[in-house]
Each structure stands twice: as C-alpha cells, then as structure tokens.
Amino acid sequence: MELLYAACVGLLVFCGVFLILRSRTFPVVLGLTMLSYAVNLFLFASGRLSLNSAVILGESTKYADPLPQAFVLTAIVIGFAMTAFVVILSIRGRADLGNDHVNGHVPENIKKGRV
Amino acid sequence: MIQHLTSLPVLLPMLTGIILLMPPCGKNKAIRRIASVTLGFITFFVSLALLFSVQTDGMQVYAIGNWSAPFGIVLVADPLSTLLVCLSALLGAVCVLYATAGDDEKGSFFHPLVHFLIFGVNGAFLTGDAFNLFVFFEVLLISSYALLMHGGDKKNTRAALQYVIMNLVGSAVFLIALGILYGVLGTLNMADMAQKVALLQGDDVYLAKIGGLLLIVVFALKGALLPLHLWLPNTYATAMPIVAALFAIMTKVGVYSMMRVYTFIFGEEAGQLTHMAQNWLWWLAVATIAMGALGVLASQDLRKLVANLVIVSVGTLVALVTVQTVEASSVAIYYLVHSTLVTAALFILADLIGHQRGKVADRITAGTPVSQPMLLGICFLIAAVAVIGMPPLSGFIAKIWLLKATWETEYGVIFWTLYLLASLAVLFAVAKAGSTLFWQHKATTNKHKISEHKLAEKAQQEGVHPAQLAALLILIAGAPLMSVFAGPLSEYAVGAATDLHNFNNNINIILLGGK
C-alpha cells in the first residue's frame, strides 16, 4: 500500500511540476491543481497509513491520527480558494494582455511557427 | 479583558475588515474612511498596550479556545513578536490614512483588504504553531493578491499573475515541509518541535533536515532571497505605491519566520541538526545583498530603486539571522524596524514625486520640476540619509552596530567588504536619483521662468493632501526618532534577542505555562 501511495504522490508531483513549467496559463493552473492534490495526499500520509482505524478513541484498539486529517481539510479549503482566484486572474490576464502566456507576450519562435 | 489582550491585535483587524464591508461603512465613502483610519489606529494602540504589558509582565502565551500547548494553538507574545505587531499595525494605519486622499477609490474594497492583510501579518507574527503560520501566510497572501491588482493596468495583471503562481507553488512546498516535519516529530507546535528535534535519531534526522531545508525555500520566496527574489522588483514597482509601502512589512514576515525556525527550532539545542541551515542562508544572503546593490544601480525609476533597496535590506537581515549571536539578533531587530519604516516612506515619496512631476512620473530623468520642492526635498533627504546609513539618522546606528556584530564571525571580512561596497552603491544611486529628480529640469527654460507664479498655482492644485502629508510625516519621523531614542530602543532589541535565544525559558513558558 505504501509503495502505491508514494508512487501516486510522486506521479502527481511530476505532472504538476511539468505543467507548471509550461508557458501558457491553462497548463500552469492545471499543474498547480495537480500539485495541490499531491500535497493533500502527502499531508494525509504524514499521520501514517492504516486500515480499519477510526479517529475516535475507545472505539477500537487501533486509532488513526486525527491531526493530519484536519490539516488536509484546511489545505483543501485554502487550495480551492487559491485555485479559483488564479483561474479568474488568468482569464483577466487573457483579456488584458491579449494572449494566454504567463510572461504576457508570445515568444518570437512560437509566433513564427517554430516551436 | 486583560488576559485576552494577546489575541486582540489579531482579532481587531479581522473584525475591522468585516465591519468595513457591512453597512453603513460599505455604502458611504466618508464613514468608511473615518472608520477605517480610526480602527486602524485603535489596533495600533492596542498593540502598544500589549507591548507595555509584555515589557512589565514578561512573555505571554494565549491558548486559543483554552486548549493548552502542544495540543491546541497558542499565540505567543514575546518582546520580538509584539514589537513587529506594533510595526505592522502602525504601517497599516498609516497606509489607510494615506489612501483616504483618493487612492482607495481606484478600485473596490481597499480598506477591508488592508485590514485583512494586517490580520494575516499580525497572526503570522504572534502564532506559536507552524501550521497556523501557514494559514496566516495564506490570509495575508490572498489579501496581497487583491491589493496588488488594486487600481491596476495591464502591466499590473502580468506581475500579479506571476506573483500569484510563485506563491501558490511556495504554499505547496510549505505544506510538504510541514507534512514531513509532522510525520517525523508528531507535533507542529514550535516549542514542542524545538524540544523534539534534539531527540531525533537514525533516519528521522535526515527527514527532519529535508523538512527544515524545504522551509528555507518557502521563507526565501516570501522574503525575496536570491535566487527567489526575481518577483519582487516587478511586483513592487507595478503595484500602487501605497500598496508597495504596505508590502514593506511582508518580506519581513519571511525573515521573522526564519528567525523563529532557524534560531529557535533548529538553533543551539537542536542536537544533530544545530544550525543546519546557516551555511546555505549565509551565502544566499551575501549574494542577495550583491544582487540588490546591482539592482539599485540599474534602476530607471524611483519605485524600482526602492524595491531593490528592499532586497538589499532582506539580504542584510538574513545575514544577521545566520550569525546566531544575541548581538546579531538585536541588530536584526533594530534594522528590521528601521528598514521597514524607511522603505515605506520612500515608496510614498515616490508616489508623491511621481504625481507632481506629471508625465515623466518617477523616472530618474530630467523633467518637469515638482511643485513642492521644499517639502518633498527635505523628506526625501531625511529618508535618503537614513536608507544609505549616513550619520546622524537610524541607518547609521544600525550600520555601525551590524558591522560590529559581524566582525567576529568566520566570514566577517567578506561581509564587511561586500556590505560597504553595497552601501557605496546605494549612496551613489540614491544621491543620483535625488539630484536628478529635484534639480535637473528639462531645458525648456524660458517657459519655466515665466511660470514662476504658475508653479505656485500648480502647487496649490496638486499639492500634497493633508492626509498624505500626515502619513508621510509619521513614517519620516521614524528615522530621527529611532536615532534620538536609540538607547532605549537598542536596549529593547537586546532584551528581545536575549529572549529569542533563551531556549529553556521559552519552552518552559510555552509548554509548561510557568517558570
């Protein structure tokens, strides 16, 4: 289970970082979303992975750490708000700058069709 | 009431922001302005009250919801954090005062956003919990995103987009670092973390090291340390100057967090991880000073020049943080207050000068003369002398003191050479900027000679608004006052630094609730 979980987080971070390094805003926003998914999963794992254990004391002999779950909840809420903001900002950027590049202008080699 | 005093500098700005959104403040411009300025200054005075109570009764710990540390979140008011809370509250109040002259109407929700920003900054200063620090970072960031766009144009959108993306990545890294540290230490209360770091063994040490070093990335990004400083000049130069003046405190939040994490958690008592970040931070700080000085020399307009001065000050502060002696930390505290006030004042001056010079704005070239050369010139002179570090103002005291504090260190000679060269660069650039802005007029001389009385007329039309003047004078007064009261202030700084370095005492008060 640990290996699968770690591989998932790693893959998400890989995709996220790759997309963030693109020059257009849409892939960058997608990349940020992927990165925040990866972070949420990672935070969740910081309380150790366990099966069939509730976060309530006394219900069973095994119990899970509730704090990382609270962290993840906070991180999800904040990440959601920030993603909404960056989506709106990119739309505004598209309108203000006339293109969807993060740098605000289309690089010469793309303009000429040489990608 | 008195036992809740510690939480008030955090709660008041938040409540102020909410009050300002609701009627009658939300509808009526005049009421909103009055309420915003009044409540801003009330926050400042409450922070001052907290400062005095900390001075008399010592460090205060406030357990939110009465959940004691390390299980609940605590607010820790020690001399260092309360001093910075006072500074940010003052800056916030001065900024809303300045903006009542008209800048607040260039977009929506200026006043609530400023108060929410102060809410985040004060929370970040006071909190004793690392995850809570992240939450307050996000609070101040989301307000800063909106403020950055306030009254903006196309250039502004580009800078804001890059700033937001940079900071979102920074937040992700912050969370990963916190996840690692929680996984290893099992706590995120800073005092508890500091205690447990020393007990780590085996592979956990390396995991904690990774977590701690990832935090450098985050704080370097917030504090604009090389190589993560590239967002700052663009962002600060395209934001409205009054917003940039307010942002002067935001880089300091990064530096303050570094002080907390690398002096307290990974400080003297951290076992195998003692001073683990110092070597990294030292060289990055030195390089930041060099890059900032080059940026100052290359700046084409006054706002960009001040933005680069911010980078120089961040480099200096981080260098001092890495020295890890009580003396160096005291200088860092004194210098932090001085540089925040002076850079804020310079941003405001850049706005006023740019406004009065018309088309050329604040570009450092010959152009239309300013309409109130006497007033702005004297203010600029004071701010310039302070920022360069020439006697007799606060910059000089800070400079002498920091040179003394770094001489004994391993790399003292390198630091002295570099820092003094950087000061020379700043002296040259600021002097050139000042003489160009105030003395070099465009060669349309005959026109100007006739317009002697026209100039006076113009001065009356677009002269400095009383609210702007008051805000400017409060900030400018900081430099001479910090010089006159250098004795008590430096004593306070030494006391605050001693408390910061007093590991066992901090642990005792925060975790055990007494001596």
Side-chain angles (χ1 to χ4, degrees):
Chain A
M1 183 168 65
E2 273 82 1
L3 185 66
L4 185 65
Y5 198 92
C8 278
V9 175
L11 192 67
L12 275 172
V13 171
F14 172 77
C15 296
V17 171
F18 178 76
L19 285 173
I20 285 171
L21 295 176
R22 310 292 296 171
S23 70
R24 290 170 177 254
T25 47
F26 183 66
V28 171
V29 173
L30 273 190
L32 286 170
T33 321
M34 292 236 177
L35 197 62
S36 72
Y37 286 158
V39 165
N40 291 342
L41 285 176
F42 183 82
L43 268 184
F44 185 74
S46 70
R48 305 294 183 271
L49 301 172
S50 57
L51 288 176
N52 296 329
S53 48
V55 287
I56 306 163
L57 276 179
E59 288 289 302
S60 63
T61 46
K62 276 200 307 181
Y63 60 89
D65 191 347
L67 214 53
Q69 308 192 3
F71 292 160
V72 173
L73 215 57
T74 317
I76 289 173
V77 175
I78 290 176
F80 187 69
M82 294 293 174
T83 310
F85 187 85
V86 77
V87 167
I88 295 296
L89 189 62
S90 341
I91 294 171
R92 162 112 185 237
R94 171 72 185 80
D96 276 2
L97 303 167
N99 62 69
D100 62 348
H101 281 258
V102 178
N103 266 343
H105 57 85
V106 186
E108 284 302 314
N109 55 351
I110 294 182
K111 256 190 210 164
K112 288 174 188 159
R114 287 185 270 123
V115 181
Chain B
M1 194 63 188
I2 195 76
Q3 79 262 32
H4 297 297
L5 185 63
T6 314
S7 63
L8 284 183
V10 183
L11 288 180
L12 268 178
M14 183 187 74
L15 293 176
T16 309
I18 296 171
I19 288 171
L20 291 176
L21 286 173
M22 291 193 296
C25 301
K27 286 266 177 216
N28 189 323
K29 198 168 73 181
I31 297 180
R32 183 165 65 237
R33 284 176 173 173
I34 293 169
S36 172
V37 174
T38 325
L39 289 166
F41 276 101
I42 287 178
T43 310
F44 172 57
F45 289 124
V46 167
S47 312
L48 272 187
L50 178 65
L51 185 85
F52 284 117
S53 108
V54 168
Q55 267 302 77
T56 47
D57 303 338
M59 193 165 123
Q60 289 174 14
V61 179
Y62 180 83
I64 295 174
N66 218 5
W67 289 86
S68 60
F71 307 107
I73 292 167
V74 287
L75 299 179
V76 180
D78 62 358
L80 171 59
S81 57
T82 36
L83 179 71
L84 297 185
V85 162
C86 287
L87 183 66
S88 76
L90 176 69
L91 203 58
V94 167
C95 283
V96 286
L97 178 66
Y98 182 90
T100 51
D103 279 347
D104 53 350
E105 291 304 309
K106 289 183 183 160
S108 355
F109 303 120
F110 179 83
H111 290 289
L113 283 170
V114 171
H115 289 285
F116 283 128
L117 182 82
I118 298 301
F119 164 51
V121 173
N122 281 356
F125 284 145
L126 281 176
T127 186
D129 183 280
F131 195 80
N132 207 224
L133 182 70
F134 163 77
V135 175
F136 279 122
F137 265 34
E138 294 306 306
V139 171
L140 77 90
L141 282 176
I142 191 111
S143 331
S144 78
Y145 300 156
L147 277 175
L148 190 56
M149 300 286 293
H150 184 81
D153 53 1
K154 286 180 183 177
K155 249 195 205 163
N156 203 298
T157 313
R158 195 181 75 131
L161 190 62
Q162 291 169 355
Y163 175 73
V164 172
I165 291 171
M166 281 285 264
N167 275 301
L168 284 180
V169 177
S171 304
V173 176
F174 199 171
L175 278 176
I176 291 176
L178 290 180
I180 294 174
L181 287 174
Y182 181 79
V184 178
L185 300 170
T187 177
L188 283 178
N189 178 292
M190 287 189 198
D192 206 20
M193 282 166 88
Q195 217 177 13
K196 290 198 171 134
V197 162
L199 307 175
L200 287 178
Q201 280 184 343
D203 293 346
D204 282 354
V205 175
Y206 297 104
L207 274 176
K209 196 166 188 174
I210 293 170
L213 289 176
L214 273 179
L215 283 179
I216 289 191
V217 179
V218 183
F219 298 147
L221 177 66
K222 313 282 172 198
L225 201 62
L226 193 96
L228 298 168
H229 68 293
L230 292 168
W231 59 272
L232 190 138
N234 242 334
T235 311
Y236 280 33
T238 52
M240 252 176 23
I242 186 60
V243 174
L246 190 60
F247 283 8
I249 194 79
M250 275 182 22
T251 50
K252 308 301 189 288
V253 178
V255 175
Y256 169 82
S257 312
M258 275 184 198
M259 273 177 147
R260 283 274 169 229
V261 171
Y262 300 115
T263 310
F264 183 47
I265 300 181
F266 297 108
E268 285 294 325
E269 312 273 331
Q272 297 181 52
L273 292 173
T274 304
H275 302 325
M276 65 162 189
Q278 259 61 355
N279 261 329
W280 292 90
L281 282 177
W282 172 263
W283 291 109
L284 289 179
V286 170
T288 308
I289 297 177
M291 278 313 285
L294 290 180
V296 168
L297 283 176
S299 300
Q300 299 291 320
D301 57 55
L302 190 55
R303 280 194 281 170
K304 219 159 218 164
L305 190 145
V306 185
N308 281 305
L309 285 175
V310 173
I311 295 182
V312 174
S313 76
V314 166
T316 315
L317 279 168
V318 176
L320 285 170
V321 170
T322 57
V323 174
Q324 292 286 322
T325 56
V326 173
E327 194 182 14
S329 298
S330 331
V331 194
I333 293 164
Y334 186 86
Y335 185 83
L336 201 158
V337 177
H338 147 80
S339 68
T340 310
L341 289 176
V342 171
T343 42
L346 277 170
F347 272 121
I348 286 184
L349 271 172
D351 185 33
L352 293 173
I353 293 172
H355 185 64
Q356 295 196 354
R357 272 165 48 106
K359 244 187 186 167
V360 276
D362 60 344
R363 281 196 293 281
I364 306 174
T365 54
T368 337
V370 293
S371 20
Q372 293 174 302
M374 209 52 194
L375 172 75
L376 293 183
I378 289 175
C379 288
F380 185 83
L381 181 70
I382 296 176
V385 167
V387 82
I388 297 163
M390 285 197 300
L393 296 181
S394 57
F396 179 68
I397 297 168
K399 190 190 267 179
I400 291 290
W401 200 7
L402 83 87
L403 288 178
K404 184 166 157 271
T406 47
W407 181 242
E408 299 286 312
T409 57
E410 209 176 328
Y411 309 108
V413 182
I414 302 175
F415 184 77
W416 271 48
T417 326
L418 202 102
Y419 184 75
L420 290 176
L421 279 177
S423 298
L424 188 67
V426 171
L427 168 73
F428 176 75
V430 173
K432 179 171 170 283
S435 56
T436 312
L437 287 171
F438 287 101
W439 291 333
Q440 283 191 19
H441 305 150
K442 258 226 178 95
T444 46
T445 32
N446 50 349
K447 241 187 190 175
H448 277 298
K449 270 183 187 141
I450 311 162
S451 61
E452 245 344 84
H453 81 275
K454 243 187 183 174
L455 218 84
E457 222 172 68
K458 207 177 124 203
Q460 281 209 324
Q461 273 173 16
E462 51 180 54
V464 179
H465 189 278
Q468 292 179 326
L469 184 64
L472 178 63
L473 289 183
I474 292 175
L475 289 176
I476 287 286
L481 283 181
M482 278 188 74
S483 175
V484 172
F485 295 103
L489 273 172
S490 56
E491 257 170 47
Y492 184 92
V494 171
T498 316
D499 273 14
L500 179 70
H501 284 270
N502 194 341
F503 183 80
N504 291 326
N505 190 36
N506 285 341
I507 299 271
N508 264 340
I509 296 179
I510 296 170
L511 289 181
L512 309 172
K515 330 278 146 166

